[in-house]
Structures are given as structure tokens and as C-alpha cells.
Amino acid sequence: MNFNELNLSPELLRAVEDMGYTQTTSIQEKTIPVMLQGLDLIGQSQTGTGKTAAFGLPLIQSIVPSDKKRPQALIMCPTRELSIQVAEELRKFAKYTENVRTVTIYGGQPISVQIRELKSGADIIVGTPGRIKDHIDRHTLKFEDLKVLVLDEADEMLNMGFREEIEDILSYLPSERQTVMFSATMPQPILNLTEAYMKDPEFIKIKTSEMTVSTIEQILYETNQGTKQDLLLQLLEIYRPELSMVFCNTKKMVDDIASLLLSKGYGAAAIHGDMKQEMRSIVMAKFKDRKINILVCTDVAARGIDVDDMDIVFNFDLPQEIEYYVHRIGRTGRAGKTGIAISLITPRQKYLVNVLERLTRAKINKKPLPTLAEVQEIKFHQMKTEMRKLLAKEVPDEIKRIVEELVDEGFSLEEISRALLFKTIGGDVFKEIKSPASLQKVVTHKGYSNLTLDVGNAHGIAAAHIVSCIAEASGISGRDIGKIRIGERTTTVEIPVQHDKAILEEVNKATIKGYTIKAVLSPVVDRPYEKRTYGGSGSYDRNRDFGNRSKGPRRSNYTEKN
Ligand code: ADP
Ligand code: MG
């Protein structure tokens, strides 16, 4: 079902569209109309089926604009994380709906902060039972105007022993209200609660296995930004998907990747946000006929594409809006099949592993980079199979003549076939991708090399851009970068001497603020850049700014812990 069949306000529909939702999930389709009628209901469906929108959208619509800002809706969640997550979703839904304020209340945050928040008024309260009860006791939270109560993940709340608090809180709520409960399971204690506190509730139960990531194997590879393209090529060799999508965050990257894949002989096509519908249809038709088997696209461009039977979804870059991750990978693992989602992350994005695991409530498998031996074994095996097939086929006489001529020139048949095979296989499978870990730790400081980049003040470059670019591209820690001198059109950075060539190579593949950069190494001994011919602007000394390393001469044998 489409969201616009549901009597939701245009403001909510617009927000839902922004979030990239096209179709409702089953629980949304069934609960939204019941909630809009103001009836009590119990919703049971698996996690990941979109229950937040199922109650969130009608709940926002039921808020009557008021200057009093006294809570009209209360949502109770079992944990602080879920409360934050639900509140964030609600704020996104209410993006275009005027005058709806959501406040989050949970244990662990100073209560004074929350009291201040509550004093400025709130239409919707999202929080954990313990802290909500606390606020009721302190009279900092009053519910005279409450109209809707939602118990999200009710079974979990009871498991965590919140029964008493919940019943306590319920006694402070107006009895004239709508009570809605969501739960993945319906054990007896839940049914007891519903009997005691709900009015003739409608029971909506959705069978499992719709929109879930449980059939998707999520895999991560950690690599530097500059080696991602090589890695993608290797992964395509290893996994050999029949149909796949490669998600990038910028249109330029989409173009680059699509051209790269085409140049390597893959049937790839880019899908652009500003591509005409007609052109898209052509690409899509080719994709459905398997004439194209890799679609390279951005999130926006992917929105209109109604294919979800990918073997693999690649996240060349993780989405900037992390929620899109679920939408992206949801294009694989459908209809009972198992799917694979592969994401390439840089060392600095390591922390996102936990975020993604929480988001998808599933384990993510972090794999070591494929070794050259692995890639070669697969590629060579496939090559041999292909050769055997080709050898069984007739070859035109003209081809035979070429071989004869080369033999006449003195080449052996073995030499000729070797050369041809090498050309066919290409150089990529002989390129080892360095694991970023090998660059990450500068164990002993042996001094610095100067790296000069052709960007500077004129390009709006700040030291932070330089540090993050170098760290991101090469995997070394920002702390291992020495002085940074920003001139008008060039910048000189001190980088650890033992990794200078590797860093140079990575940085030359990177961009800073969208500028492709050309970097060169120069020995530290002659430092023409210190003469400040640029008026000395923008000199930045990391060692001075970070107090812990400010005293005395630079330690030449500085050893990092562990
Ligand atoms: P649940 O509460 O059932 O576990 P959530 O409400 O947390 O599920 O939703 C899981 C994910 O699915 C979220 O990332 C959410 O943004 C997304 N989602 C929800 N509804 C839809 C929809 N109709 N289309 C696409 N994605 C959706
Ligand atoms: Mg939920």
C-alpha cells in the first residue's frame, strides 16, 4: 500500500517521502487507520517491521496545536537507546508539521537537563518508565492533557521489571485516552496488562518474515578510501554476483565507479538523480534483461528503482544518513533468499560497526581483506574453465594465420598463449591491497618528511581538512602528523618518514574539500616553505596546539603505547 492512501496529512506524507519510504509495511498498513480513529490497539510484529512509523505517524497527526505545550502523547520504551531512536524518528516524521515538540526522558542523563527541557514545554514525551515516574513524583511532568499512550516493546519492558512503574504511571494518566501497545511477543503478563488498562483493543498481528535483515549476511571490509576501487574489483571477482547494486554518496563517485567497471568489462550502468525518467527506464529494462548486472547509484537515484532481488548490495561508501543503510541492504535477501550486503569502511569509521549492528539488530561480519592468493585462485580457476570452453570451439582461419605468423617470427606457442592470457586476465589480480592496519601505527618516530599539497588558503583549506584527509586516506593517526603550514596555494605537512611514500600514494588519490590534489614529497632538510613567502598566513603547529607534546624538542624515538 502507498502511504498516500492512508489519510495522513500532506506534511507527514512529505516527510515520509523524504525518508525514502515508498510502500507501507504490513503493520503500518493495518495499524495506522485504527490509530487514526482513536481506538485502542495491540500490534504484534517482528522487529524491523516499521512499528515506529506505525504509531508515530498517526500519533503526530493527533496532536492538537497548542501553546500550552502540555504533553498530549506519551511513549514508553524499555531503554534509553530505543527512546532516543524513537524520538529521532518522530522528529523526522514531524519535520514539516508545525509546532510539535518532542522531549526525551531517560535515566542516565542529568535530571536537571530534562527538567529544563520540560519547562519549555512538550507535546510528545518519549522515555523509559523509571525516569518518567521520577518526573511525575517531582511534579515536573503532568499528564492532564494526555490523549495517547504508547507502550513500545511492551514485552521487553516487562522483562526488564518495569511492570510496577508502568502501572504506577498509568494511574496518573487521564482514563479518557487512547492506549496503544506494541510487542514482538504476547505472553500472559502482557495480556493481563491489556485487560486491565485497554478498552476493547483491536488485535493486529503480522506474520513474520517481511522486511527484515535477518536473511542478509552483512559484511564489512576496512580499507583506505584510495584503495576502495581496487577492493571493489577484487570483491566482484570473488563473490561474482549476478545482480548487484553499488551505492555511492556522490554523483561523481557514481560516474567514476561506473566507468571503472565498464573499462574492466563489467556490465555496469550509472543511475543519476537528474537522469530523465525515459533514460532510467531504458537502463532498468536492460537490468531486468540482465544486459546490465551492476547498477551504480546514489540513494536519491535509487529511490525510484523497484528492484529488490539483488545478490549483493555494495556500500562503496556508507550512507551519510545512516538509516539509509537499512533501505539499501533491504534490496537483497528478499523472498526467503539469502542476500549479502558488503560495506567498505575506512579505519576512521570503525565506530559505525556498533551503530549498524544496533540499527539492524544483527551481527556484522568484519572480514580481513582478501589476499592476493585468494583473488588469483578464483580468477585463474575461472580463466581456465573459460579457456577449456573456448578451446572446444572453432576459430576463424584469419586468427590461425596470426598465430602462424608469430610462430614464423620465432615465438613459441607457449609464449604467445602466456602473453594473451596475461592480457586477458589484466593486471588487477596482481595488485595487493595493503591492509590499512599496516599503516595505522607509527611505532617509532624517526622524524618527518615534508609533503607538499597544491591546495591552500585560496581553496579555503584549514589544518583540520589536511589532518582528516591524510588520516582518512592513509590510515595513520592524526597524532602522527607534524607541523602543517598553509600557504596561499600550497600546504606543507610533516608526515612520518617511514610511511612517507605510502602516504604520498594514498593522498594523491584523495580529495580535500572536493579538490583533487597533487602531492609531492620533499626532504625535510631544505624547507623553502618556511620562508613564509605567503605572508605567513595560516601556519599551524600541531605540537603547539596539543599541549601534551609542546615541551622540548620533538622526541625522536617516541614510542606509542601498545
Ligand atoms: P520496529 O520498531 O518494528 O523494530 P522500526 O520502526 O525501528 O522497526 O523500523 C525499522 C527500519 O525500517 C527503520 O530504519 C525504518 O526507518 C525503516 N522503515 C520503517 N517503515 C518503512 C517503510 N515503510 N519503508 C521503508 N523503510 C521503512
Ligand atoms: Mg521498535
Side-chain angles (χ1 to χ4, degrees), residues 385-409:
T385 316
E386 208 170 304
M387 284 304 295
R388 285 186 196 104
K389 272 192 217 149
L390 288 170
L391 285 165
K393 280 189 185 157
E394 257 315 297
V395 175
D397 284 345
E398 291 86 338
I399 299 289
K400 290 181 192 155
R401 226 167 292 140
I402 301 178
V403 178
E404 280 161 18
E405 278 171 32
L406 287 168
V407 171
D408 285 346
E409 284 170 35

Side-chain angles (χ1 to χ4, degrees), residues 376-392:
Q376 289 177 350
E377 191 187 319
I378 290 167
K379 182 75 189 177
F380 297 164
H381 173 79
Q382 173 237 341
M383 201 62 226
K384 280 185 278 183
T385 316
E386 208 170 304
M387 284 304 295
R388 285 186 196 104
K389 272 192 217 149
L390 288 170
L391 285 165

Side-chain angles (χ1 to χ4, degrees), residues 89-103:
E89 290 257 300
L90 292 184
R91 290 192 187 107
K92 282 186 204 155
F93 296 147
K95 183 163 137 193
Y96 301 111
T97 309
E98 252 163 68
N99 211 11
V100 177
R101 198 173 124 83
T102 304
V103 169

Side-chain angles (χ1 to χ4, degrees), residues 3 16 19-25 27-28 45-55 85 89 93 152-153 211 323 326-327 359 361:
F3 277 96
V16 162
M19 292 175 77
Y21 300 180
T22 46
Q23 302 284 303
T24 59
T25 64
I27 188 90
Q28 290 163 356
S45 78
Q46 214 177 336
T47 42
T49 49
K51 292 191 283 289
T52 319
F55 65 76
Q85 205 174 302
E89 290 257 300
F93 296 147
D152 193 16
E153 311 230 10
M211 199 186 145
E323 290 80 27
V326 179
H327 304 173
L359 186 72
R361 288 167 202 138

Side-chain angles (χ1 to χ4, degrees), residues 46-49 209-218 325-334 337-339 341 356-364:
Q46 214 177 336
T47 42
T49 49
S209 100
E210 277 163 320
M211 199 186 145
T212 161
V213 299
S214 65
T215 54
I216 303 172
E217 185 188 2
Q218 300 179 70
Y325 178 80
V326 179
H327 304 173
R328 286 181 179 187
I329 73 170
R331 290 178 181 272
T332 181
R334 291 293 179 97
K337 284 197 288 184
T338 46
L356 293 179
E357 288 189 336
R358 204 155 18 101
L359 186 72
T360 56
R361 288 167 202 138
K363 204 81 202 124
I364 296 182

